[in-house]
């Protein structure tokens, strides 16, 4: 049984989330429903929850300021937000779980499933998220969660991404690679505005790492590390738009 606390300054949102958890997530026991961030902070310290559902924007003390009051974050954290698409990309960059208002039952059950695995929050993930939301720009890194923690990958070192069923393999210029529990489409949504391009149904590339382009029926790119990446016919025009030299 997961012990949960809900902290959101909107009473209707708190009540709705509690009702949905009760109906769709029987493994979750809601210990407290709070609309005051100060009361939420006290509840976290006193009740020691397994998971906290936390609104980002609240009066007097926002979600980040609340977390700064804690010496440690030993619980799973799920942000609840009504942010726009840019901000949602920020959550994806930081690999932090979030629920978008109005709440979706399927997203809620998936977030709870992840919370059951008790992945520990890395402070750098919060710093990454806060930087994007505050500065309104993308960072130079992306957080990649794995079984025992989180690794932070410099985007300039990421050569290409390869689809692997419901996962994505990330290949770096230093020869390292990581397996991300996201589909390539999800990764594309995060990186497509950071000089990355989907050139094939199976590949997303970093345009800065292209070394050579081979034309013909079987067009392909040679990337850093001399890796060959096929180019789909319907993606050639997008390369032309990016470079103008094909």
């Amino acid at each position: 049984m997961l012990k949960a606390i809900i902290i959101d300054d909107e009473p209707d949102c708190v009540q709705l989330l509690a009702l949905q958890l009760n109906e769709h997530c029987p493994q979750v026991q809601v210990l407290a429903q709070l609309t005051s961030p100060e009361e939420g902070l006290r509840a976290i310290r006193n009740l020691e929850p397994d998971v906290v559902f936390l609104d980002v924007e609240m009066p007097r003390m926002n979600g980040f300021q609340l977390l700064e009051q804690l010496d440690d974050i030993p619980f799973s954290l799920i942000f609840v937000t009504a942010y726009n698409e840019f901000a949602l990309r920020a959550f994806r960059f930081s690999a932090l779980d979030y629920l978008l208002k109005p709440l979706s039952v399927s997203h809620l059950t998936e977030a709870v499933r992840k919370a059951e695995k008790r992945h520990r929050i890395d402070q750098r993930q919060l710093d990454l998220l806060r930087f994007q939301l505050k500065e309104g720009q993308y960072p130079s890194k992306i957080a990649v969660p794995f079984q025992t923690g989180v690794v932070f990958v410099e985007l300039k070192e990421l050569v290409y991404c390869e689809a692997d069923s419901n996962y994505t393999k990330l290949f770096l210029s230093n020869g390292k690679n990581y397996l991300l529990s996201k589909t390539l489409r999800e990764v594309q949504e995060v990186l497509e505005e950071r000089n990355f391009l989907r050139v094939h149904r199976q590949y997303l590339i970093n345009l800065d790492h292209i070394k050579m382009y081979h034309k013909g029926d079987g067009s392909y790119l040679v990337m850093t590390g001399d890796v060959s990446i096929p180019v789909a016919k319907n993606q050639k025009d997008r390369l032309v738009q990016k470079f103008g030299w094909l």
Side-chain angles (χ1 to χ4, degrees):
M1 182 68 72
L2 285 179
K3 298 181 296 181
I5 290 176
I6 303 172
I7 307 171
D8 192 321
D9 65 302
E10 300 180 45
D12 289 346
C13 292
V14 172
Q15 294 171 14
L16 178 59
L17 178 52
L19 286 172
Q20 289 182 321
L21 286 170
N22 181 63
E23 182 175 355
H24 303 288
C25 304
Q27 71 273 44
V28 177
Q29 176 189 8
V30 179
L31 300 179
Q33 304 174 41
L34 304 160
T35 56
S36 162
E38 292 85 359
E39 292 179 1
L41 183 58
R42 286 193 292 270
I44 289 174
R45 288 170 170 161
N46 295 330
L47 300 178
E48 299 183 350
D50 300 311
V51 57
V52 172
F53 294 87
L54 180 64
D55 189 15
V56 178
E57 288 298 330
M58 295 182 289
R60 301 184 307 280
M61 183 191 302
N62 65 33
F64 294 117
Q65 292 169 330
L66 184 153
L67 294 170
E68 286 174 353
Q69 302 299 311
L70 301 170
D71 295 329
D72 192 17
I73 305 176
F75 48 82
S76 295
L77 180 63
I78 301 173
F79 284 105
V80 182
T81 178
Y83 272 122
N84 59 25
E85 182 57 33
F86 174 85
L88 298 186
R89 283 198 179 98
F91 280 99
R92 295 168 190 153
F93 257 89
S94 60
L96 288 165
D97 285 326
Y98 67 92
L99 292 171
L100 183 64
K101 299 177 182 179
L103 300 181
S104 159
V105 171
S106 62
H107 290 165
L108 174 60
T109 54
E110 175 64 14
V112 169
R113 184 188 65 79
K114 291 180 181 178
E116 290 182 287
K117 297 182 179 180
R118 297 294 301 275
H119 287 309
R120 192 177 188 84
I121 300 297
D122 189 307
Q123 181 61 46
R124 290 174 294 175
Q125 290 175 270
L126 295 173
D127 293 341
L128 205 59
L129 175 60
R130 181 163 43 191
F131 170 81
Q132 293 173 85
L133 296 181
K134 181 179 179 181
E135 302 297 331
Q137 58 182 296
Y138 293 114
S140 61
K141 297 181 181 181
I142 184 172
V144 180
F146 59 98
Q147 273 192 330
T148 58
V150 179
V151 63
F152 294 83
V153 173
E154 290 277 358
L155 292 181
K156 65 182 180 182
E157 297 177 0
L158 179 54
V159 180
Y160 69 98
C161 309
E162 180 181 1
D164 184 7
S165 186
N166 290 325
Y167 295 83
T168 299
K169 292 179 180 177
L170 308 183
F171 293 85
L172 277 59
S173 57
N174 60 10
K176 293 183 179 180
N177 62 80
Y178 299 97
L179 185 64
L180 181 62
S181 58
K182 302 284 185 183
T183 65
L184 187 60
R185 178 174 292 278
E186 291 176 296
V187 176
Q188 178 185 352
E189 290 176 353
V190 175
L191 297 180
E192 61 187 353
E193 294 184 12
R194 293 304 312 273
N195 212 35
F196 283 75
L197 183 67
R198 183 82 174 261
V199 296
H200 187 274
R201 62 180 177 80
Q202 198 165 352
Y203 294 99
L204 176 74
I205 66 162
N206 185 339
L207 297 171
D208 290 334
H209 281 281
I210 295 176
K211 292 176 60 178
M212 189 181 301
Y213 173 68
H214 287 265
K215 298 182 180 180
D217 293 336
S219 300
Y220 65 93
L221 296 163
V222 177
M223 307 294 294
T224 296
D226 294 327
V227 177
S228 297
I229 301 292
V231 178
K233 291 181 180 179
N234 60 355
Q235 294 301 318
K236 290 182 182 179
D237 289 343
R238 296 189 68 192
L239 277 173
V240 170
Q241 292 173 2
K242 289 288 185 180
F243 292 103
W245 44 249
L246 300 181

